[in-house]
């Protein structure tokens, strides 16, 4: 046995049934999607969330002059178009062929997501241009059309990755209809958090009360979804229970329970509620809670990848391959 | 219309990995890439110990998740039931690896010589048809089928644990074995409609 193999075996949790190679029946961990995939999904959620929340705040702002909240829309747009697409290209082994990702929208959620990103890139840019007043004449009707298409495509970008992952039938952690809803909820939380942080740091005027209400609604909903997801895992198959153990007691627990649930959601919720109706110091409280949520969001995206476990191709101990209880 | 399928008799398989080697030899796959594996599992406690061997390759599913989910259209279902791939279209999304319930799709991270130093002449010859950063899988040895031969694993098995033939022909070996022995696919509950049947 080589040193590398010895080290790999030593890291395996005792009794968990992990396998060192693919010639022995057992539970396999997801190893194909790593940092760049996490970043691409994270930037997608962060960017579209920021764009949607900023667009909402911008629509409620008054005055003909360009509003400061449009900065959030531009930043959200760039996060999707530059950071998300850039991460996708870094994750690809043949980036020159990446345009092929749009070739199967009839059956592939990745293709649908790629098309949604393309549409968002076109109509998001047009929406921003209209809001900046760079189109001569009355662009109100056009602006509404661009905004609706951009927001609809942003919504698809928020959720499509949940559908991609839910297609993995033997990864019980992912194979649930809750996943797209969780990604939608996290996207809105991250967008609201980043908007709060940016607007407060840059001194941009915005509807403070509305953004706080959005956070006070979306954070508890997200916490509820996370707990519901964990509960369902407990009643699912053995691979699901292994994932749940990793998320709650194992090597990903510090990240998922500590980082995402407590630091990324519960603490910001308390801070946001405490800052409600207050000014002055509330600005810095908002910035701190925004930073916590943005960091917690990243940990959410990475934890779901790290804790993914494939059910065994051949059930350990089964005498017949056909029976999977 | 022919619909290719395979049966694997688990009572005959002795876990010798001859099929694994025949597959590697015929397809010349790079180090670490296996289109076929014989998965082993030991269970029980001494002295009541039992070891099972389950050969696994691409199941050439009728509702193949790799075909449906690959965004680049790398995988496609042929009229004769074979799920083939075109690595030239692959850009490395690796979603096929996530959605295949049988761990049957391999991804070539990099092509390295077996001895870790230099490619020997056969390796240079074999690896020409593979490209690093693409997905590959079993094709039921489609090139051999075109020449009227059976897949390399079927031909090689010393215990004749495997049969290969037309599932649409009720008199073919595979159809008769499935009928007689009650052949069942792996994980039928997943709804992928595999075309490899196990006899136990």
């Amino acid at each position: 046995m080589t040193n590398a193999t010895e080290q790999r075996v030593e890291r395996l949790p005792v009794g968990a049934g992990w396998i060192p190679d693919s010639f022995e029946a057992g539970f396999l961990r997801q190893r194909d999607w790593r940092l760049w995939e996490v970043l691409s999904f994270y930037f997608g959620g962060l960017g579209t969330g920021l764009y949607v929340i900023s667009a909402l705040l911008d629509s409620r702002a008054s005055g003909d002059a360009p509003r400061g909240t449009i900065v959030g829309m531009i930043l959200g747009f760039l996060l999707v178009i530059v950071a998300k697409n850039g991460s996708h290209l870094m994750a690809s082994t043949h980036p020159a062929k990446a345009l092929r990702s749009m070739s199967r929208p009839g059956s592939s959620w990745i293709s649908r997501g790629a098309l949604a990103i393309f549409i968002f890139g076109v109509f998001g840019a047009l929406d921003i241009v209209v809001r900046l007043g760079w189109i001569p004449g009355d662009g109100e009707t056009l602006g509404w059309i661009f905004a609706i298409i951009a927001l609809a495509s942003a919504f698809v970008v928020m959720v499509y990755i949940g559908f991609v992952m839910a297609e993995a039938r033997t990864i019980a952690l992912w194979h649930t209809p809750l996943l797209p809803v969780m990604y939608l909820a996290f996207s809105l939380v991250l967008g609201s958090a980043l908007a709060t942080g940016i607007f407060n740091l840059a001194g941009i005027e915005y509807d403070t009360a509305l953004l706080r209400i959005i956070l006070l609604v979306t954070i508890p909903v997200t916490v509820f979804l996370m707990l519901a997801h964990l509960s369902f895992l407990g009643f699912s198959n053995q691979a699901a229970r292994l994932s749940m153990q990793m998320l709650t007691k194992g090597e990903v627990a510090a990240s998922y329970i500590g980082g995402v649930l407590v630091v990324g959601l519960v603490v910001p919720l308390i801070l946001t509620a405490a800052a409600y109706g207050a000014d002055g110091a509330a600005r810095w409280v908002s910035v701190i809670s925004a930073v916590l949520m943005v960091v917690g969001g990243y940990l959410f995206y990475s934890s779901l990848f790290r804790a993914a476990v494939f059910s065994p191709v051949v059930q350990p101990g089964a005498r017949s391959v056909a029976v999977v209880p | 219309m022919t619909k290719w399928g395979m049966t694997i008799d688990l009572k005959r398989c002795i876990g010798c990995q001859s099929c694994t080697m025949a597959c590697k030899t015929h397809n010349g796959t790079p180090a670490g890439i296996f289109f076929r594996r014989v998965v082993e599992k030991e269970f029980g406690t001494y002295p009541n110990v039992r070891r099972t061997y389950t050969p696994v390759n691409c199941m050439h599913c009728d509702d193949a998740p790799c075909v449906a989910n690959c965004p680049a259209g790398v995988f496609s279902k042929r009229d004769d039931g074979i799920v083939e791939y075109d690595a030239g279209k692959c850009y490395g999304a690796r979603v096929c690896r996530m959605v295949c319930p049988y761990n049957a799709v391999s991804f070539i991270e990099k092509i390295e010589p077996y001895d870790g130093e230099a490619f020997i002449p056969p390796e240079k010859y074999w690896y020409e048809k593979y490209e690093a950063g693409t997905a590959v899988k079993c094709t039921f040895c489609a090139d051999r089928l075109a020449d009227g031969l059976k897949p390399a694993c079927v031909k090689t098995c010393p215990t004749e644990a495997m049969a290969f033939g037309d599932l649409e022909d009720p008199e073919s070996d595979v159809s008769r074995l499935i009928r007689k022995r009650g052949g069942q696919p792996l994980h039928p509950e997943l709804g992928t409609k595999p075309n490899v049947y196990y006899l136990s």
Side-chain angles (χ1 to χ4, degrees):
Chain A
M1 192 183 283
T2 64
N3 285 339
T5 311
E6 281 172 3
Q7 287 170 2
R8 191 170 52 183
V9 171
E10 277 174 8
R11 284 203 302 271
L12 302 176
V14 175
W18 304 120
I19 54 175
D21 60 49
S22 56
F23 280 72
E24 195 176 327
F27 297 93
L28 276 171
R29 294 183 68 174
Q30 185 283 122
R31 296 287 195 203
D32 286 83
W33 285 353
R34 287 167 284 200
L35 177 67
W36 287 113
E37 283 85 358
V38 172
L39 284 175
S40 63
F41 301 152
Y42 173 64
F43 286 136
L46 192 64
T48 48
L50 179 59
Y51 183 91
V52 168
I53 296 295
S54 300
L56 175 67
L57 293 171
D58 190 65
S59 301
R60 289 178 60 85
S62 58
D64 292 333
R67 280 82 58 181
T69 42
I70 206 163
V71 171
M73 291 179 70
I74 295 170
L75 190 61
F77 177 82
L78 291 175
L79 274 171
V80 176
I81 301 304
V82 179
K84 177 176 172 63
N85 283 338
S87 302
H88 275 307
L89 290 177
M90 291 301 291
S92 302
T93 46
H94 296 279
K97 293 187 248 177
L99 277 179
R100 290 200 63 87
S101 62
M102 287 188 270
S103 60
R104 297 291 296 274
S107 61
S108 165
W109 270 104
I110 288 188
S111 282
R112 291 168 191 160
L115 274 173
I117 294 167
F118 177 76
I119 294 168
F120 177 74
V122 173
F123 287 93
L126 290 170
D127 185 22
I128 291 169
V129 166
V130 169
R131 286 176 196 253
L132 285 171
W134 289 353
I135 288 186
D138 183 14
E140 193 173 344
T141 311
L142 265 183
W144 272 107
I145 294 170
F146 294 157
I148 288 168
I149 297 174
L151 290 172
S153 56
F155 173 78
V156 177
V157 177
M158 284 177 184
V159 298
Y160 87 94
I161 188 57
F163 287 105
V164 170
M165 292 162 75
E167 286 288 336
R169 302 174 206 203
T170 47
I171 302 179
L173 176 67
W174 296 356
H175 188 54
T176 162
L178 268 180
L179 218 55
V181 187
M182 287 172 75
Y183 277 112
L184 173 66
F186 259 97
S187 203
L188 292 174
V189 168
L190 284 172
S192 308
L194 197 55
T196 309
I198 291 168
F199 297 158
N200 276 299
L201 277 177
I204 293 169
E205 282 187 23
Y206 66 100
D207 190 340
T208 319
L210 176 65
L211 199 48
R212 278 194 189 141
I213 289 170
I214 292 173
L215 282 169
L216 290 174
V217 171
T218 52
I219 295 176
V221 168
T222 310
V223 170
F224 171 77
L225 288 169
M226 274 182 73
L227 295 176
H229 183 225
L230 284 174
S231 306
F232 290 143
L233 290 176
F235 294 106
S236 189
N237 62 22
Q238 205 178 345
R241 290 197 293 276
L242 275 174
S243 290
M244 190 191 69
Q245 283 171 14
M246 289 173 72
L247 288 171
T248 54
K249 299 176 202 162
E251 63 190 85
V252 196
S255 166
Y256 201 65
I257 301 298
V260 184
L261 194 63
V262 178
V263 177
L265 292 171
V266 175
V267 172
L269 177 66
I270 295 167
L271 290 176
T272 307
Y276 194 85
D279 288 322
R283 181 182 166 196
W284 288 106
V285 170
S286 299
V287 172
I288 291 166
S289 65
V291 171
L292 294 179
M293 282 186 276
V294 169
V295 173
Y298 174 79
L299 294 175
F300 169 75
Y301 282 78
S302 67
S303 299
L304 283 192
F305 277 24
R306 288 172 62 201
V309 176
F310 289 95
S311 289
V313 174
V314 179
Q315 203 71 0
R319 284 168 185 266
S320 165
V321 294
V323 181
V324 182
Chain B
M1 178 63 74
T2 303
K3 183 183 178 186
W4 295 119
M6 181 184 279
T7 58
I8 299 172
D9 190 339
L10 296 177
K11 285 186 175 170
R12 286 192 175 200
C13 180
I14 56 171
C16 67
Q17 304 280 2
S18 295
C19 52
T20 308
M21 293 311 297
C23 176
K24 272 200 90 66
T25 307
H26 177 70
N27 292 296
T29 51
I33 302 296
F34 297 92
F35 292 171
R36 183 186 185 79
R37 299 161 288 136
V38 179
V39 177
E40 300 183 17
K41 182 65 187 176
E42 187 174 291
F43 61 96
T45 49
Y46 178 83
N48 300 312
V49 181
R50 186 184 170 94
R51 194 166 187 83
T52 59
Y53 304 102
T54 311
V56 179
N57 51 272
C58 174
M59 303 287 155
H60 297 273
C61 309
D62 286 343
D63 284 339
C66 56
V67 175
N69 286 285
C70 175
V74 172
F75 303 94
S76 56
K77 184 84 174 164
R78 296 190 345 184
D79 290 340
D80 60 5
I82 292 176
V83 175
E84 62 179 359
Y85 68 91
D86 179 356
K89 293 179 179 175
C90 184
Y91 71 95
R94 278 169 276 195
V95 70
C96 49
R97 300 255 308 141
M98 303 294 159
V99 298
C100 177
Y102 307 106
N103 193 18
V105 181
S106 300
F107 191 80
I108 305 175
E109 294 276 358
K110 48 190 170 184
I111 298 176
E112 291 179 317
Y114 262 92
D115 69 0
E117 292 176 4
F119 291 106
I120 60 174
E123 286 182 307
K124 287 180 185 168
Y125 169 75
W126 282 330
Y127 301 163
E128 268 182 8
K129 58 185 170 186
Y130 297 107
E131 189 179 0
T134 61
V136 290
K137 60 178 272 302
C138 158
T139 60
F140 270 163
C141 287
D143 53 337
R144 286 177 59 92
L145 293 181
D147 294 337
L149 301 169
K150 287 184 177 177
C153 54
V154 178
K155 178 74 177 170
T156 302
C157 181
T159 61
E160 297 185 339
M162 283 167 283
F164 186 83
D166 183 3
L167 291 170
E168 295 287 322
D169 176 5
E171 296 309 313
S172 67
D173 287 348
V174 285
S175 296
R176 281 192 290 111
L177 279 167
I178 291 168
R179 265 201 318 272
K180 187 178 170 188
R181 302 275 303 277
Q184 292 195 56
L186 202 54
H187 296 299
E189 78 282 3
L190 297 176
T192 56
K193 299 177 188 166
N195 285 311
V196 174
Y197 290 81
Y198 289 82
L199 313 171
S200 54

